[in-house]
Amino acid sequence: MKKLLILLGLGALAITQPAVAQVYKPQEPLAHTYSIVARDPKTGEMAVAVQSHWFSVGTSVSWGEAGVGVVATQSFTNKSFGLRGLALMKQGKTAEETLKLLLANDPGREVRQVAILDAKGGVATHTGKKCITYAGHITGKDFSVQANMMLNETVWPAMAKAFEQNSHLPLAERMLAVLDAAEAQGGDIRGRQSAALLVVPGKSKKEPWNERLVDLRVDDHELPLRELRRLLTVQRAYEHMNNGDLAVEKNDMALAMKEYGAAEKLQPNNLEMQYWHGITLANTGKVDEAIKILEPVFKAEPNWRTLTERLPPVGLLTVSAEDLKKILGTK
């Protein structure tokens, strides 16, 4: 039924708006949506966040590259604007220059909505005259919010206000606050289905495989924004785990325990976090403390006990044979 309605809608567009029918391509998603592109002037980080009643919106709307910029391309989405926009900014074009070049030879520009932010904080946004009501955008210092096919015209003003009022938050959490503000105003007239959050550094270390600070997508969910926030919380917890592991490498056990504790506070039911906390304690000679953590883990999932037996041969558990038996609860 949904597919039929889409095809009927496209048929109506073909009758009433020939230009739209000519430029629309099946591979260009109908990502009618709301989004934000933004930069944190303190860290230089840049981000795109988006929510839509369309499947896997993050695979078509949000684009970004460390040290270059971010792009949101939506409405009748032209996905090429993502990679082409980043390439133009990488050549030294500003956000404004990039947007003009992208739209110059696009016959579908009046059904496009595009927002571009460069690494210096320059912003350029376009809302085509034939974007579906309600549609509009607001640009400000280091950000742009844009929306189309909204339930009402209060959505993007609420987004701008939320961004400006949450400067105390890390950029990723600030972006989520903006999406929540949009949804509180009614959001997409069709409802909700998917969401995405992308954050990249303001400067590149020429290691693109390490330069997506946050890259989270919810492709299909009844409450995508709630699920996106949950995923960000999980990522923050694992960041603490990684910091704890790094502290262990530097023999800073006090910091390691602090980081592991912070991770478990965010994810209190995560057995893996508890497990590696316990293993680290054992490796630092605190076997009795390790056992207090590991015993409940083994009880909840016996495979963790089996894994523990496999750690000494590869050097990940460096305890005596006697202590290993104590940990495993064997004689």
Side-chain angles (χ1 to χ4, degrees):
M1 178 60 72
K2 180 178 178 181
K3 185 70 174 179
L4 176 60
L5 290 174
I6 291 172
L7 291 173
L8 289 172
L10 290 175
L13 284 173
I15 295 170
T16 61
Q17 299 180 41
V20 176
Q22 292 170 4
V23 299
Y24 174 73
K25 298 177 182 179
Q27 66 269 31
E28 294 179 350
L30 300 172
H32 302 289
T33 185
Y34 57 79
S35 69
I36 173 172
V37 297
R39 174 178 176 270
D40 186 334
K42 298 186 292 292
T43 65
E45 293 176 359
M46 299 171 289
V48 191
V50 58
Q51 198 277 155
S52 175
H53 190 282
W54 192 258
F55 176 69
S56 193
V57 69
T59 58
S60 56
V61 170
S62 46
W63 306 81
E65 184 175 342
V68 177
V70 289
V71 178
T73 170
Q74 57 197 50
S75 186
F76 284 80
T77 304
N78 186 331
K79 290 197 289 186
S80 77
F81 283 3
L83 290 176
R84 290 167 57 208
L86 293 174
L88 287 167
M89 287 189 284
K90 203 167 185 176
Q91 294 170 13
K93 304 294 185 185
T94 66
E96 188 68 40
E97 291 169 337
T98 297
L99 181 62
K100 288 180 179 179
L101 288 169
L102 292 177
L103 294 176
N105 61 355
D106 179 22
R109 55 187 169 272
E110 294 307 333
V111 298
R112 313 291 190 204
Q113 191 170 51
V114 192
I116 301 175
L117 179 142
D118 60 44
K120 294 182 179 179
V123 178
T125 309
H126 164 79
T127 299
K129 295 177 182 178
K130 293 183 180 178
C131 286
I132 298 173
T133 303
Y134 288 99
H137 65 265
I138 294 176
T139 60
K141 182 174 174 53
D142 291 312
F143 81 93
S144 175
V145 293
Q146 45 283 328
N148 66 89
M149 201 189 275
M150 294 297 102
L151 181 62
N152 58 64
E153 56 189 342
T154 63
V155 172
W156 56 97
M159 295 172 71
K161 183 177 180 180
F163 182 77
E164 292 171 336
Q165 291 183 342
N166 285 283
S167 60
H168 60 287
L169 294 176
L171 184 58
E173 283 78 3
R174 192 177 182 185
M175 302 293 276
L176 294 188
V178 171
L179 298 187
D180 285 339
E183 198 62 22
Q185 294 297 314
D188 189 326
I189 196 170
R190 303 164 299 173
R192 61 199 68 82
Q193 183 173 0
S194 65
L197 174 63
L198 173 64
V199 182
V200 297
K203 293 183 179 180
S204 174
K205 295 181 179 180
K206 307 303 179 184
E207 297 179 352
W209 53 89
N210 284 328
E211 294 183 337
R212 290 200 166 193
L213 302 176
V214 179
D215 188 4
L216 300 173
R217 295 199 307 272
V218 178
D219 288 338
D220 184 35
H221 199 280
E222 291 183 0
L223 297 171
L225 294 185
R226 181 182 296 181
E227 177 64 5
L228 190 61
R229 187 174 291 277
R230 185 190 71 80
L231 291 175
L232 182 60
T233 300
V234 174
Q235 174 168 333
R236 294 306 193 205
Y238 275 93
E239 287 172 356
H240 283 297
M241 287 294 294
N242 291 336
N243 291 338
D245 293 343
L246 182 60
V248 170
E249 290 181 15
K250 296 180 178 180
N251 202 31
D252 188 344
M253 298 314 301
L255 178 58
M257 293 303 105
K258 180 180 178 181
E259 291 290 349
Y260 289 145
E264 291 170 34
K265 186 176 181 180
L266 290 173
Q267 292 282 285
N269 298 318
N270 188 307
L271 294 181
E272 180 155 17
M273 291 183 177
Q274 297 170 34
Y275 177 78
W276 292 111
H277 185 177
I279 294 299
T280 299
L281 285 171
N283 282 334
T284 58
K286 299 179 180 180
V287 175
D288 291 338
E289 292 181 40
I291 291 172
K292 291 179 181 178
I293 292 176
L294 293 173
E295 278 186 344
V297 173
F298 295 160
K299 185 176 180 180
E301 176 47 71
N303 282 347
W304 289 109
R305 189 191 307 271
T306 303
L307 176 61
T308 305
E309 297 172 346
R310 301 176 182 180
L311 296 184
V314 294
L316 292 179
L317 182 57
T318 56
V319 297
S320 67
E322 182 179 350
D323 282 339
L324 179 60
K325 290 181 178 179
K326 288 175 62 177
I327 291 170
L328 295 174
T330 60
K331 295 183 180 180

